[in-house]
Amino acid sequence: MSSITSRRRPGRPSKAEAGDTKAALLDAALRLFAQNGYAGTSIRAIAREVGLSESVLYAHFDSKQAIYDAAMALAGPQAATVALDDAPEDPAAFVGSFAARVLAAWDTPQSRQVMSLVSRDGLIHDDALNEGIEDALARLAEVFAGWQSAGRIRTDLGGPDDLAYALLAPIAHARMLWLHGTATEEQRERARARITAHAALFATALSP
């Protein structure tokens, strides 16, 4: 039985190679953004950081803004939305799982660099950041609304929007204080302890 072996054209990178290059460029950009700020980092500097030409960078990203948007999508507040996927249905288990998954996503080198960039450049009110936060809060509120309607959690602590904010805000606060690019292991451990304790207390308070 004959077989056909597909060959890519000489000089044309494979999808895996292209993906590796894009990831390397994003890593380099995050490091430089965290160190020098968004305005203080040039396209040329990002390309040079990984030993590539600017033309190669533009093959993966249309602009510096596109790199920033990719960084926010990878390590911004969207992690809180992703943490809702395939989450446990039990309220207490859900809260613990949500907090743990958000913590894991925000305690990576890239995520901590994003936090440093946001703090350094005063991007707390950036549209991309705020849209991600609002989306996460809205998704969380839907979960709490369903549980309240079914009588699975208390209704005297506030409405679904209140509960969503009450769960996420302390986690985001711990991130801002202790999960930045230059955070020490002691600071990161403090964030882990605070977030875990908050989730446990919140889950207990929800029980009807």
Side-chain angles (χ1 to χ4, degrees):
M1 182 173 64
S2 62
S3 62
I4 298 175
T5 302
S6 62
R7 297 177 181 272
R8 60 185 175 85
R9 291 178 296 179
R12 183 180 182 183
S14 67
K15 290 184 178 180
E17 290 170 339
D20 290 344
T21 299
K22 189 169 186 176
L25 286 166
L26 185 56
D27 281 343
L30 278 170
R31 286 195 302 272
L32 294 174
F33 286 160
Q35 293 169 9
N36 308 318
Y38 178 81
T41 301
S42 67
I43 287 289
R44 177 178 295 181
I46 296 169
R48 285 181 174 176
E49 183 77 3
V50 290
L52 298 172
S53 65
E54 292 178 57
S55 62
V56 172
L57 184 150
Y58 281 118
H60 296 279
F61 296 101
D62 294 337
S63 63
K64 188 168 70 168
Q65 181 64 44
I67 300 175
Y68 171 81
D69 292 341
M72 294 306 298
L74 177 68
Q78 289 84 349
T81 302
V82 174
L84 294 167
D85 297 336
D86 301 318
E89 295 184 3
D90 175 71
F94 170 90
V95 170
S97 171
F98 175 80
R101 293 175 71 179
V102 171
L103 174 58
W106 283 351
D107 193 21
T108 66
Q110 287 181 325
S111 290
R112 294 197 301 274
Q113 287 164 349
V114 165
M115 193 68 254
S116 288
L117 167 63
V118 168
S119 301
R120 180 187 180 94
D121 280 21
L123 298 173
I124 295 297
H125 302 295
D126 178 75
D127 288 342
L129 184 66
N130 283 284
E131 287 173 7
I133 292 171
E134 290 299 326
D135 184 45
L137 288 171
R139 291 276 307 278
L140 267 175
E142 290 177 3
V143 174
F144 287 123
W147 285 339
Q148 285 191 330
S149 296
R152 300 185 65 188
I153 60 173
R154 292 169 58 179
T155 58
D156 61 334
L157 297 176
D161 291 338
D162 301 317
L163 294 176
Y165 187 81
L167 174 58
L168 185 57
I171 299 174
H173 182 255
R175 180 192 193 187
M176 183 170 59
L177 290 180
W178 302 304
L179 294 178
H180 49 78
T182 58
T184 64
E185 179 55 36
E186 182 180 359
Q187 289 174 315
R188 292 169 60 198
E189 182 55 39
R190 188 172 187 183
R192 297 180 197 117
R194 286 296 182 97
I195 290 172
T196 301
H198 164 64
L201 178 63
F202 192 90
T204 301
L206 283 180
S207 300

